[in-house]
Each structure stands twice: as structure tokens, then as C-alpha cells.
Amino acid sequence: MCGHCGCGETAASKSESHHDHGHDHEHGERRVIELERSILERNARLAERLRGMFWGKGVVAINMVSSPGSGKTALLEATLTGDGLRGLRPAVIVGDLATDNDAARIQKTGAPAVQVTTGDVCHLDAHMLLHTLKSQENPQGLDLGELDLVFIENVGNLVCPAAFDLGEDMRVVLTSVCEGEDKPLKYPTIFHDVALVVITKTDLSEAVGVDLGALRANIHEVAPGAKILEVSARTGAGMETWFAFLEAALAAKV
Ligand code: MG
């Protein structure tokens, strides 16, 4: 359940709150805020645990967020099959509401991939991530001791993932040329403090008539410090700049 968008609310609780008025309504609202705070506090504690685990094993963790269909999985496929990671040991944790389609696509590259299916939940949280890692209860889980780089492909959503720390080293936002120029202005929160924005599907720029200059300006308006890369996973254009970014991230960690 998500305290931010209410996507986990049942139909009954929605209609109940709809008919709530006055005094009851205030109580209900306070209850929602308290529940939301406790969810985020619990997530923050577990994210700190994850951060410690990533640091302890020298693993760089990258939280990749975007709207559905921006090409997160395609970028990861191109990353894992390209020669830019030279000897590094990557893995992918991928979140979707349903299906293990994306994990299956990633596994075809030979990299370990774990699918998290979130049901009604529109983001990954730290608790879900902890359960993907190797432990006594989960001996088949990802072993951070044997990895250098973990890509976390978050649930496609430009809103809720922004609120949930996953203990990652950095967040990368993808936005495809097909989404137009003003997504950063409409969904600014997820762009705040982002290390990198990858403009994807640039091979389609002409077909969709996007104004790349305007898109870049809008990204910098909400994320002045963000680096921006333009990439086409399909043609390979810009992939070398993405690999250089990953190399620098790994160098900074050790
Ligand atoms: Mg995907």
C-alpha cells in the first residue's frame, strides 16, 4: 500500500473516506499521515541497513526510475551485453506490479536478475530489496560479495518511487523522447537530487518531433546539478557516455 497515492486503498476504504465529513474526516486524515510517517520511517531504517551492506561489500547500487515504457530494461540489456562493463560483476533487481518478463529479458544477457512483483504497490521499498539478497532464509538470493554493481530497475512510475530510499548510491531518471519535453516540470520531485538523467530512444527524436533543447532546459530547471546523457539503446548511440558515467561511479566508490 502506498501512503502517497493511495493505490493500495480498497474500494471500500475509498468510498468510506469519500463519505467522511468534519470531525471523522480530521481523525482519518491524521491517521493517514501517521501511517505514512511510520511507513517512511521504517523504510528509512531498512534503507540504512541496505546502504551499509552495499558499502561493506563495495557494491555500487543505482536506482533507475522512469515512467513505464521509457526503456529501463532496454538500456540495461544494452548495458549488460555491451563491452563497457569490462570484467565487472553486475546484477539487476527489477520491480513490476506483475509478470517476470523483465527479469527473463535480463537473464538472457547472462547477468543475475531477480524479479520483485509488487502486486498493488507502485514502487520498490527497502524491505522488498532486503528480501532479494542472500540470507539464511534466502540462500538463492543475490550475494553482494560476488557483485560490483547492482542496478535496481524500479516500478515504472514518476511519483511514488521518489519517496522511498533504497540505500542506493545514486538515482538515475530515464525520460524517453516519446514523453515530450515537459515531464520534468510536471513531475519535478523525482528529478530532485538526481545524479543523472538519461534521455532515451533518441533514435526516435525526429519521428516524434521532440525539442531536445527544451527537454534539457526543463531537466536543468528542476535538477540544476544533474548530468544529462542522450542514449539510444537500439542503435548504441550515446552508450559510451553511459559506460563512462558508470566507470566514474565505480571509481568514486573505491
Ligand atoms: Mg522494465
Side-chain angles (χ1 to χ4, degrees), residues 216-240:
R216 295 178 73 100
N218 289 340
I219 292 167
H220 273 150
E221 189 171 329
V222 293
K227 219 185 246 293
I228 303 176
L229 301 183
E230 294 175 17
V231 166
S232 165
R234 181 184 277 177
T235 66
M239 283 300 289
E240 73 286 351

Side-chain angles (χ1 to χ4, degrees), residues 22-33:
H23 189 70
D24 285 349
H25 185 72
E26 275 172 35
H27 272 295
E29 232 164 60
R30 199 179 310 148
R31 214 163 48 224
V32 169
I33 290 166

Side-chain angles (χ1 to χ4, degrees), residues 128-219:
M128 296 173 193
L129 245 64
L130 279 165
H131 276 285
T132 67
L133 303 181
K134 187 173 181 174
S135 66
Q136 263 179 344
E137 308 91 75
N138 184 14
Q140 303 302 316
L142 293 175
D143 185 349
L144 292 180
E146 298 189 344
L147 297 172
D148 303 302
L149 191 54
V150 172
F151 295 102
I152 304 160
E153 185 189 328
N154 218 313
V155 177
N157 181 329
L158 280 178
V159 185
C160 305
F164 288 82
D165 184 0
L166 302 176
E168 72 268 21
D169 290 273
M170 67 185 74
R171 190 166 75 242
V172 172
V173 180
L174 278 67
T175 186
S176 79
V177 296
C178 313
E179 294 164 58
E181 298 90 3
D182 61 353
K183 285 296 175 296
L185 304 180
K186 289 175 173 169
Y187 301 91
T189 316
I190 203 142
F191 288 87
H192 292 164
D193 305 322
V194 73
L196 172 73
V197 177
V198 184
I199 301 174
T200 57
K201 307 193 187 184
T202 53
D203 53 303
L204 299 176
S205 297
E206 227 166 280
V208 297
V210 70
D211 179 345
L212 283 171
L215 176 55
R216 295 178 73 100
N218 289 340
I219 292 167

